[in-house]
Structures are given as C-alpha cells and as structure tokens.
PDB file of all heavy atoms in Angstrom:
ATOM      1  N   ASN A   1     106.278 104.635 122.653  1.00 96.00           N
ATOM      2  CA  ASN A   1     106.388 103.265 123.150  1.00 96.00           C
ATOM      3  C   ASN A   1     105.454 102.310 122.416  1.00 96.00           C
ATOM      4  O   ASN A   1     104.817 101.443 123.020  1.00 96.00           O
ATOM      5  CB  ASN A   1     106.146 103.218 124.664  1.00 96.00           C
ATOM      6  CG  ASN A   1     107.107 104.084 125.442  1.00 96.00           C
ATOM      7  OD1 ASN A   1     108.315 104.076 125.186  1.00 96.00           O
ATOM      8  ND2 ASN A   1     106.608 104.884 126.373  1.00 96.00           N
ATOM      9  N   SER A   2     105.330 102.504 121.121  1.00 98.00           N
ATOM     10  CA  SER A   2     104.450 101.621 120.293  1.00 98.00           C
ATOM     11  C   SER A   2     105.219 101.157 119.044  1.00 98.00           C
ATOM     12  O   SER A   2     106.219 101.691 118.682  1.00 98.00           O
ATOM     13  CB  SER A   2     103.180 102.373 119.872  1.00 98.00           C
ATOM     14  OG  SER A   2     102.449 102.818 120.957  1.00 98.00           O
ATOM     15  N   PHE A   3     104.660 100.109 118.405  1.00 98.00           N
ATOM     16  CA  PHE A   3     105.163  99.662 117.151  1.00 98.00           C
ATOM     17  C   PHE A   3     103.999  99.521 116.195  1.00 98.00           C
ATOM     18  O   PHE A   3     102.862  99.169 116.620  1.00 98.00           O
ATOM     19  CB  PHE A   3     105.974  98.391 117.215  1.00 98.00           C
ATOM     20  CG  PHE A   3     105.209  97.145 117.713  1.00 98.00           C
ATOM     21  CD1 PHE A   3     104.670  96.225 116.789  1.00 98.00           C
ATOM     22  CD2 PHE A   3     105.017  96.919 119.088  1.00 98.00           C
ATOM     23  CE1 PHE A   3     103.979  95.143 117.208  1.00 98.00           C
ATOM     24  CE2 PHE A   3     104.334  95.821 119.503  1.00 98.00           C
ATOM     25  CZ  PHE A   3     103.813  94.921 118.592  1.00 98.00           C
ATOM     26  N   ALA A   4     104.215  99.812 114.937  1.00 97.00           N
ATOM     27  CA  ALA A   4     103.101  99.900 113.980  1.00 97.00           C
ATOM     28  C   ALA A   4     102.675  98.518 113.488  1.00 97.00           C
ATOM     29  O   ALA A   4     103.504  97.668 113.180  1.00 97.00           O
ATOM     30  CB  ALA A   4     103.521 100.739 112.790  1.00 97.00           C
ATOM     31  N   ILE A   5     101.394  98.316 113.493  1.00 97.00           N
ATOM     32  CA  ILE A   5     100.817  97.104 112.900  1.00 97.00           C
ATOM     33  C   ILE A   5     100.692  97.296 111.387  1.00 97.00           C
ATOM     34  O   ILE A   5     100.132  98.326 110.941  1.00 97.00           O
ATOM     35  CB  ILE A   5      99.416  96.804 113.498  1.00 97.00           C
ATOM     36  CG1 ILE A   5      99.475  96.656 115.024  1.00 97.00           C
ATOM     37  CG2 ILE A   5      98.809  95.556 112.864  1.00 97.00           C
ATOM     38  CD1 ILE A   5      98.124  96.579 115.695  1.00 97.00           C
ATOM     39  N   ASP A   6     101.246  96.385 110.604  1.00 95.00           N
ATOM     40  CA  ASP A   6     101.101  96.540 109.152  1.00 95.00           C
ATOM     41  C   ASP A   6      99.634  96.360 108.769  1.00 95.00           C
ATOM     42  O   ASP A   6      99.033  95.332 109.075  1.00 95.00           O
ATOM     43  CB  ASP A   6     101.976  95.486 108.471  1.00 95.00           C
ATOM     44  CG  ASP A   6     101.779  95.531 106.935  1.00 95.00           C
ATOM     45  OD1 ASP A   6     101.915  96.654 106.394  1.00 95.00           O
ATOM     46  OD2 ASP A   6     101.434  94.515 106.378  1.00 95.00           O
ATOM     47  N   PRO A   7      99.018  97.370 108.131  1.00 93.00           N
ATOM     48  CA  PRO A   7      97.628  97.301 107.794  1.00 93.00           C
ATOM     49  C   PRO A   7      97.330  96.462 106.531  1.00 93.00           C
ATOM     50  O   PRO A   7      96.191  96.084 106.268  1.00 93.00           O
ATOM     51  CB  PRO A   7      97.249  98.746 107.579  1.00 93.00           C
ATOM     52  CG  PRO A   7      98.446  99.376 107.047  1.00 93.00           C
ATOM     53  CD  PRO A   7      99.626  98.647 107.704  1.00 93.00           C
ATOM     54  N   GLY A   8      98.390  96.149 105.748  1.00 88.00           N
ATOM     55  CA  GLY A   8      98.090  95.530 104.459  1.00 88.00           C
ATOM     56  C   GLY A   8      97.465  96.514 103.528  1.00 88.00           C
ATOM     57  O   GLY A   8      97.500  97.735 103.742  1.00 88.00           O
ATOM     58  N   ASP A   9      96.847  95.993 102.497  1.00 86.00           N
ATOM     59  CA  ASP A   9      96.137  96.919 101.529  1.00 86.00           C
ATOM     60  C   ASP A   9      94.854  96.216 101.060  1.00 86.00           C
ATOM     61  O   ASP A   9      94.820  95.491 100.064  1.00 86.00           O
ATOM     62  CB  ASP A   9      97.017  97.211 100.356  1.00 86.00           C
ATOM     63  CG  ASP A   9      96.390  98.304  99.441  1.00 86.00           C
ATOM     64  OD1 ASP A   9      95.251  98.713  99.706  1.00 86.00           O
ATOM     65  OD2 ASP A   9      97.094  98.738  98.521  1.00 86.00           O
ATOM     66  N   PRO A  10      93.752  96.389 101.867  1.00 82.00           N
ATOM     67  CA  PRO A  10      92.510  95.698 101.530  1.00 82.00           C
ATOM     68  C   PRO A  10      91.887  96.204 100.245  1.00 82.00           C
ATOM     69  O   PRO A  10      90.980  95.530  99.693  1.00 82.00           O
ATOM     70  CB  PRO A  10      91.654  95.999 102.719  1.00 82.00           C
ATOM     71  CG  PRO A  10      92.173  97.235 103.308  1.00 82.00           C
ATOM     72  CD  PRO A  10      93.646  97.223 103.061  1.00 82.00           C
ATOM     73  N   LEU A  11      92.329  97.345  99.749  1.00 83.00           N
ATOM     74  CA  LEU A  11      91.689  97.911  98.542  1.00 83.00           C
ATOM     75  C   LEU A  11      92.422  97.416  97.279  1.00 83.00           C
ATOM     76  O   LEU A  11      91.940  97.656  96.136  1.00 83.00           O
ATOM     77  CB  LEU A  11      91.706  99.432  98.594  1.00 83.00           C
ATOM     78  CG  LEU A  11      90.940 100.054  99.763  1.00 83.00           C
ATOM     79  CD1 LEU A  11      91.026 101.549  99.741  1.00 83.00           C
ATOM     80  CD2 LEU A  11      89.494  99.580  99.759  1.00 83.00           C
ATOM     81  N   ALA A  12      93.565  96.804  97.460  1.00 83.00           N
ATOM     82  CA  ALA A  12      94.294  96.344  96.294  1.00 83.00           C
ATOM     83  C   ALA A  12      93.568  95.169  95.665  1.00 83.00           C
ATOM     84  O   ALA A  12      92.726  94.500  96.252  1.00 83.00           O
ATOM     85  CB  ALA A  12      95.700  95.928  96.683  1.00 83.00           C
ATOM     86  N   VAL A  13      93.833  94.884  94.395  1.00 80.00           N
ATOM     87  CA  VAL A  13      93.242  93.762  93.703  1.00 80.00           C
ATOM     88  C   VAL A  13      94.414  92.846  93.223  1.00 80.00           C
ATOM     89  O   VAL A  13      95.217  93.227  92.373  1.00 80.00           O
ATOM     90  CB  VAL A  13      92.432  94.229  92.469  1.00 80.00           C
ATOM     91  CG1 VAL A  13      91.854  93.012  91.726  1.00 80.00           C
ATOM     92  CG2 VAL A  13      91.367  95.185  92.866  1.00 80.00           C
ATOM     93  N   PRO A  14      94.482  91.692  93.767  1.00 86.00           N
ATOM     94  CA  PRO A  14      93.677  91.219  94.896  1.00 86.00           C
ATOM     95  C   PRO A  14      94.130  91.884  96.171  1.00 86.00           C
ATOM     96  O   PRO A  14      95.232  92.440  96.209  1.00 86.00           O
ATOM     97  CB  PRO A  14      93.978  89.719  94.902  1.00 86.00           C
ATOM     98  CG  PRO A  14      95.402  89.616  94.392  1.00 86.00           C
ATOM     99  CD  PRO A  14      95.500  90.682  93.353  1.00 86.00           C
ATOM    100  N   PRO A  15      93.330  91.886  97.276  1.00 83.00           N
ATOM    101  CA  PRO A  15      93.675  92.545  98.547  1.00 83.00           C
ATOM    102  C   PRO A  15      95.018  91.980  99.083  1.00 83.00           C
ATOM    103  O   PRO A  15      95.294  90.805  99.001  1.00 83.00           O
ATOM    104  CB  PRO A  15      92.522  92.222  99.437  1.00 83.00           C
ATOM    105  CG  PRO A  15      91.420  91.918  98.524  1.00 83.00           C
ATOM    106  CD  PRO A  15      92.031  91.236  97.320  1.00 83.00           C
ATOM    107  N   VAL A  16      95.824  92.903  99.692  1.00 88.00           N
ATOM    108  CA  VAL A  16      97.093  92.497 100.308  1.00 88.00           C
ATOM    109  C   VAL A  16      96.887  92.385 101.857  1.00 88.00           C
ATOM    110  O   VAL A  16      96.489  93.358 102.487  1.00 88.00           O
ATOM    111  CB  VAL A  16      98.194  93.537 100.032  1.00 88.00           C
ATOM    112  CG1 VAL A  16      99.492  93.137 100.733  1.00 88.00           C
ATOM    113  CG2 VAL A  16      98.411  93.672  98.552  1.00 88.00           C
ATOM    114  N   PRO A  17      97.040  91.189 102.391  1.00 90.00           N
ATOM    115  CA  PRO A  17      96.792  91.043 103.824  1.00 90.00           C
ATOM    116  C   PRO A  17      97.897  91.670 104.663  1.00 90.00           C
ATOM    117  O   PRO A  17      99.016  91.962 104.158  1.00 90.00           O
ATOM    118  CB  PRO A  17      96.817  89.512 103.991  1.00 90.00           C
ATOM    119  CG  PRO A  17      97.683  89.016 102.940  1.00 90.00           C
ATOM    120  CD  PRO A  17      97.465  89.914 101.755  1.00 90.00           C
ATOM    121  N   ALA A  18      97.559  91.924 105.927  1.00 91.00           N
ATOM    122  CA  ALA A  18      98.542  92.501 106.847  1.00 91.00           C
ATOM    123  C   ALA A  18      99.739  91.498 106.955  1.00 91.00           C
ATOM    124  O   ALA A  18      99.553  90.309 106.985  1.00 91.00           O
ATOM    125  CB  ALA A  18      97.944  92.763 108.216  1.00 91.00           C
ATOM    126  N   SER A  19     100.927  92.056 107.014  1.00 95.00           N
ATOM    127  CA  SER A  19     102.133  91.195 106.978  1.00 95.00           C
ATOM    128  C   SER A  19     102.791  91.061 108.369  1.00 95.00           C
ATOM    129  O   SER A  19     103.189  92.060 108.980  1.00 95.00           O
ATOM    130  CB  SER A  19     103.144  91.772 105.990  1.00 95.00           C
ATOM    131  OG  SER A  19     104.393  91.145 106.120  1.00 95.00           O
ATOM    132  N   PRO A  20     102.927  89.812 108.866  1.00 96.00           N
ATOM    133  CA  PRO A  20     103.660  89.608 110.149  1.00 96.00           C
ATOM    134  C   PRO A  20     105.130  90.039 110.026  1.00 96.00           C
ATOM    135  O   PRO A  20     105.672  90.566 110.980  1.00 96.00           O
ATOM    136  CB  PRO A  20     103.548  88.118 110.369  1.00 96.00           C
ATOM    137  CG  PRO A  20     102.356  87.674 109.567  1.00 96.00           C
ATOM    138  CD  PRO A  20     102.340  88.593 108.378  1.00 96.00           C
ATOM    139  N   SER A  21     105.727  89.852 108.820  1.00 96.00           N
ATOM    140  CA  SER A  21     107.149  90.213 108.691  1.00 96.00           C
ATOM    141  C   SER A  21     107.357  91.711 108.735  1.00 96.00           C
ATOM    142  O   SER A  21     108.329  92.198 109.328  1.00 96.00           O
ATOM    143  CB  SER A  21     107.690  89.629 107.385  1.00 96.00           C
ATOM    144  OG  SER A  21     107.029  90.171 106.278  1.00 96.00           O
ATOM    145  N   ILE A  22     106.446  92.497 108.110  1.00 97.00           N
ATOM    146  CA  ILE A  22     106.550  93.954 108.170  1.00 97.00           C
ATOM    147  C   ILE A  22     106.307  94.445 109.566  1.00 97.00           C
ATOM    148  O   ILE A  22     107.009  95.345 110.090  1.00 97.00           O
ATOM    149  CB  ILE A  22     105.572  94.615 107.162  1.00 97.00           C
ATOM    150  CG1 ILE A  22     105.939  94.249 105.720  1.00 97.00           C
ATOM    151  CG2 ILE A  22     105.528  96.127 107.367  1.00 97.00           C
ATOM    152  CD1 ILE A  22     104.981  94.763 104.693  1.00 97.00           C
ATOM    153  N   THR A  23     105.337  93.852 110.233  1.00 97.00           N
ATOM    154  CA  THR A  23     105.038  94.194 111.642  1.00 97.00           C
ATOM    155  C   THR A  23     106.281  93.881 112.519  1.00 97.00           C
ATOM    156  O   THR A  23     106.635  94.657 113.428  1.00 97.00           O
ATOM    157  CB  THR A  23     103.822  93.446 112.157  1.00 97.00           C
ATOM    158  OG1 THR A  23     102.712  93.765 111.318  1.00 97.00           O
ATOM    159  CG2 THR A  23     103.498  93.855 113.598  1.00 97.00           C
ATOM    160  N   ALA A  24     106.930  92.738 112.251  1.00 97.00           N
ATOM    161  CA  ALA A  24     108.145  92.367 112.996  1.00 97.00           C
ATOM    162  C   ALA A  24     109.238  93.380 112.731  1.00 97.00           C
ATOM    163  O   ALA A  24     109.984  93.755 113.648  1.00 97.00           O
ATOM    164  CB  ALA A  24     108.573  90.972 112.616  1.00 97.00           C
ATOM    165  N   ALA A  25     109.348  93.826 111.503  1.00 97.00           N
ATOM    166  CA  ALA A  25     110.367  94.864 111.205  1.00 97.00           C
ATOM    167  C   ALA A  25     110.042  96.162 111.908  1.00 97.00           C
ATOM    168  O   ALA A  25     110.972  96.839 112.417  1.00 97.00           O
ATOM    169  CB  ALA A  25     110.421  95.094 109.701  1.00 97.00           C
ATOM    170  N   ASN A  26     108.786  96.522 112.014  1.00 97.00           N
ATOM    171  CA  ASN A  26     108.391  97.713 112.778  1.00 97.00           C
ATOM    172  C   ASN A  26     108.711  97.554 114.271  1.00 97.00           C
ATOM    173  O   ASN A  26     109.154  98.515 114.940  1.00 97.00           O
ATOM    174  CB  ASN A  26     106.909  97.985 112.620  1.00 97.00           C
ATOM    175  CG  ASN A  26     106.535  98.362 111.169  1.00 97.00           C
ATOM    176  OD1 ASN A  26     107.407  98.820 110.407  1.00 97.00           O
ATOM    177  ND2 ASN A  26     105.286  98.196 110.792  1.00 97.00           N
ATOM    178  N   LEU A  27     108.504  96.345 114.784  1.00 98.00           N
ATOM    179  CA  LEU A  27     108.828  96.032 116.181  1.00 98.00           C
ATOM    180  C   LEU A  27     110.342  96.196 116.388  1.00 98.00           C
ATOM    181  O   LEU A  27     110.792  96.748 117.380  1.00 98.00           O
ATOM    182  CB  LEU A  27     108.363  94.640 116.553  1.00 98.00           C
ATOM    183  CG  LEU A  27     108.775  94.126 117.958  1.00 98.00           C
ATOM    184  CD1 LEU A  27     108.244  95.059 119.052  1.00 98.00           C
ATOM    185  CD2 LEU A  27     108.315  92.722 118.173  1.00 98.00           C
ATOM    186  N   GLN A  28     111.142  95.683 115.443  1.00 97.00           N
ATOM    187  CA  GLN A  28     112.589  95.824 115.559  1.00 97.00           C
ATOM    188  C   GLN A  28     113.026  97.271 115.595  1.00 97.00           C
ATOM    189  O   GLN A  28     113.913  97.673 116.404  1.00 97.00           O
ATOM    190  CB  GLN A  28     113.223  95.099 114.375  1.00 97.00           C
ATOM    191  CG  GLN A  28     114.764  95.151 114.358  1.00 97.00           C
ATOM    192  CD  GLN A  28     115.349  94.441 113.191  1.00 97.00           C
ATOM    193  OE1 GLN A  28     114.734  93.573 112.571  1.00 97.00           O
ATOM    194  NE2 GLN A  28     116.579  94.810 112.847  1.00 97.00           N
ATOM    195  N   THR A  29     112.407  98.098 114.745  1.00 97.00           N
ATOM    196  CA  THR A  29     112.755  99.525 114.726  1.00 97.00           C
ATOM    197  C   THR A  29     112.358 100.192 116.030  1.00 97.00           C
ATOM    198  O   THR A  29     113.124 100.970 116.615  1.00 97.00           O
ATOM    199  CB  THR A  29     111.997 100.225 113.574  1.00 97.00           C
ATOM    200  OG1 THR A  29     112.429  99.633 112.336  1.00 97.00           O
ATOM    201  CG2 THR A  29     112.317 101.703 113.536  1.00 97.00           C
ATOM    202  N   ALA A  30     111.168  99.877 116.526  1.00 98.00           N
ATOM    203  CA  ALA A  30     110.732 100.482 117.796  1.00 98.00           C
ATOM    204  C   ALA A  30     111.570 100.014 118.948  1.00 98.00           C
ATOM    205  O   ALA A  30     111.909 100.811 119.854  1.00 98.00           O
ATOM    206  CB  ALA A  30     109.229 100.094 118.038  1.00 98.00           C
ATOM    207  N   LEU A  31     111.983  98.782 118.946  1.00 98.00           N
ATOM    208  CA  LEU A  31     112.831  98.242 120.040  1.00 98.00           C
ATOM    209  C   LEU A  31     114.215  98.941 120.001  1.00 98.00           C
ATOM    210  O   LEU A  31     114.792  99.275 121.062  1.00 98.00           O
ATOM    211  CB  LEU A  31     112.993  96.729 119.965  1.00 98.00           C
ATOM    212  CG  LEU A  31     113.857  96.051 120.982  1.00 98.00           C
ATOM    213  CD1 LEU A  31     113.326  96.341 122.381  1.00 98.00           C
ATOM    214  CD2 LEU A  31     113.936  94.542 120.744  1.00 98.00           C
ATOM    215  N   THR A  32     114.767  99.102 118.820  1.00 97.00           N
ATOM    216  CA  THR A  32     116.049  99.744 118.678  1.00 97.00           C
ATOM    217  C   THR A  32     115.997 101.177 119.257  1.00 97.00           C
ATOM    218  O   THR A  32     116.892 101.594 120.013  1.00 97.00           O
ATOM    219  CB  THR A  32     116.469  99.803 117.195  1.00 97.00           C
ATOM    220  OG1 THR A  32     116.592  98.464 116.684  1.00 97.00           O
ATOM    221  CG2 THR A  32     117.808 100.552 117.031  1.00 97.00           C
TER     222      THR A  32
END
C-alpha cells in the first residue's frame, strides 16, 4: 500500500533532482 518516491540522482554531475512526474507515475502504478 505504498508508492515509490523518486530519489533523483544526487551523485550525478550535475545532480538530478527528484522528479514529481516519475513519482506521479509510481503513484499511478500503485493505484492501478
């Protein structure tokens, strides 16, 4: 009963921030 928070990639150069759209896609999968 959870959906994954997109962690982004803080180690990337430049760092990749957490993505609301990826998190929304995870929510869609969990809801389905």
Side-chain angles (χ1 to χ4, degrees):
N1 301 315
S2 299
F3 63 97
I5 302 170
D6 176 52
D9 189 355
L11 300 179
V13 179
V16 178
S19 169
S21 62
I22 295 177
T23 303
N26 294 338
L27 174 59
Q28 181 180 337
T29 300
L31 179 58
T32 300

